[in-house]
């Protein structure tokens, strides 16, 4: 199926590695020109851009509105427009709500939630003026299901789900769709040390996690890339305010099998 992405310009935040990298690759493979945004590791984004051809690297810390405004301006100057925004950049703190420091709580909320807010505010006016656009936010199954010792992260992802629905309602009359992709556990640098480990405690944790996934495996970044390309495509103008779980059935089952 032609996703009608040729000639489109996409911004992908946190696009230099992990899930973001797979989203960049999926959009580029469908013919989109991609602005790969990273915070500190612009070299990494530049290397990916050189590999793909139809792409360029940009720097921004999404937790800072001034950085984001400058980045969107630079992308617009370079490519003439922004058709697609993918809010993928994310971070976490592995602490409970009461144990988390104010600094970590602030870092997670500012990156995950405010990052989406800053980027959406920066691109939306031009999308509204043109009467078309696609915004895809990367949420998580943990926007819906709480997880011990991930208080700020789960809170931020739940807020992203409502932010997605609210913005979808506000932008629907302007032809701009806003959706979220909510991944389950995905094989990225955050999780690989655990999933490659043979230490008994880690193996027990791997097995406990996999028991919650009806498909019995963790997902690949490409699973998320394809879902984002679908929601960013010209073929999905009537899907808005949706949260698409890409999780091997985790949310559908809910209770782990014994
Ligand atoms: P990674 O940590 O591998 O990649 C995150 C990317 O975001 C990195 O490039 C990172 O850059 C960038 N980033 C972090 N903070 C900022 C910031 N303030 N401004 C700009 N860029 C920033 O994570 P994943 O690929 O695993 O996750 C990507 C998204 O998917 C996140 O939103 C995450 O919450 C979500 N997700 C991941 C799941 C998983 O199992 N992996 C499951 C569910 C959701 P840097 O290297 O400089 O830190």
């Amino acid at each position: 199926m032609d996703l009608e992405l040729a000639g489109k310009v996409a911004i992908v935040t946190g696009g230099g590695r992990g899930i973001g990298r797979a989203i960049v690759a999926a959009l580029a493979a469908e013919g989109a020109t991609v602005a790969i945004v990273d915070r500190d590791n612009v070299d990494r984004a530049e290397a990916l851009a050189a590999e793909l051809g139809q792409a360029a690297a940009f720097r921004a810390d999404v937790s800072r509105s001034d950085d984001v405004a400058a980045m969107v301006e630079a992308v617009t100057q370079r490519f003439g427009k922004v058709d697609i925004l993918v809010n993928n950049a994310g971070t976490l703190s592995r602490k409970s709500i009461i144990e988390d420091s104010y600094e970590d709580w602030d870092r997670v909320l500012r990156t995950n939630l405010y990052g989406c807010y800053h980027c959406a505010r920066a691109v939306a006016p031009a999308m509204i003026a043109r009467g078309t656009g696609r915004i895809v936010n990367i949420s998580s199954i943990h926007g819906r299901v709480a997880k011990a010792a991930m208080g700020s992260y789960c809170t931020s992802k739940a807020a992203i789900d409502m932010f997605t629905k609210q913005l979808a309602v506000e932008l629907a009359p302007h032809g701009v769709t806003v959706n979220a992709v909510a991944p389950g556990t995905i094989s990225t640098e955050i999780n690989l040390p655990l999933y490659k480990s043979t230490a008994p405690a880690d193996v027990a944790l791997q097995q406990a996690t996999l028991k919650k996934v009806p498909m019995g495996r963790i997902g690949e970044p490409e699973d998320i890339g394809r879902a984002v390309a679908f929601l960013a495509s010209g073929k999905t103008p009537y899907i808005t305010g949706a949260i698409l779980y890409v999780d091997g059935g985790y949310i559908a089952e809910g209770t782990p099998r014994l």
Side-chain angles (χ1 to χ4, degrees):
M1 179 167 67
D2 174 13
L3 295 181
E4 299 173 15
L5 287 169
K8 302 291 182 189
V9 176
I11 291 175
V12 180
T13 66
R17 76 172 202 186
I19 290 173
R21 186 185 170 93
I23 294 168
V24 168
L27 294 173
E30 293 293 335
T33 298
V34 188
I36 308 166
V37 179
D38 232 323
R39 178 181 42 179
D40 302 322
N41 299 293
V42 181
D43 293 357
R44 189 175 60 190
E46 277 169 355
L48 178 58
E51 195 183 303
L52 294 171
Q54 239 167 264
F58 295 83
R59 202 208 76 82
D61 177 343
V62 298
S63 70
R64 298 179 51 114
S65 61
D66 53 349
D67 257 29
V68 167
M71 176 273 291
V72 170
E73 177 63 29
V75 173
T76 308
Q77 288 274 336
R78 172 84 185 260
F79 296 123
K81 59 176 180 166
V82 177
D83 299 292
I84 297 157
L85 165 66
V86 184
N87 282 314
N88 164 77
T91 189
L92 55 75
S93 162
R94 294 190 189 274
K95 298 249 177 70
S96 70
I97 287 174
I98 57 168
E99 286 171 342
D100 225 349
S101 65
Y102 278 98
E103 289 73 22
D104 275 340
W105 176 269
D106 202 47
R107 174 178 58 81
V108 172
L109 271 290
R110 287 220 149 259
T111 303
N112 297 3
L113 176 60
Y114 278 68
C116 292
Y117 173 68
H118 294 148
C119 293
R121 285 202 52 150
V123 301
M127 288 181 174
I128 291 169
R130 294 173 56 229
T132 182
R134 297 277 183 275
I135 298 176
V136 183
N137 300 319
I138 304 303
S139 177
S140 166
I141 49 173
H142 296 302
R144 177 138 163 209
V145 178
K147 185 170 166 103
M150 296 257 278
S152 53
Y153 182 81
C154 296
T155 302
S156 74
K157 294 296 183 177
I160 287 173
D161 288 354
M162 179 47 76
F163 176 76
T164 299
K165 289 186 269 189
Q166 182 64 32
L167 194 62
V169 169
E170 293 180 13
L171 298 187
H174 304 287
V176 179
T177 70
V178 187
N179 294 290
V181 170
T185 303
I186 305 296
S187 169
T188 65
E189 280 158 72
I190 295 178
N191 298 311
L192 280 181
L194 171 68
Y195 280 87
K196 282 186 172 164
S197 169
T198 51
D202 289 343
V203 171
L205 195 53
Q206 290 164 23
Q207 288 170 348
T209 303
L210 291 177
K211 252 192 176 173
K212 296 180 185 170
V213 185
M215 283 192 171
R217 65 168 178 89
I218 63 172
E220 296 300 324
E222 292 71 24
D223 291 317
I224 309 305
R226 283 188 290 269
V228 171
F230 170 71
L231 290 173
S233 84
K235 289 286 199 303
T236 52
Y238 202 58
I239 302 179
T240 199
I243 297 165
L244 176 58
Y245 291 96
V246 182
D247 63 356
Y250 180 109
I251 287 290
E253 187 167 55
T255 314
R257 282 149 292 146
L258 297 172

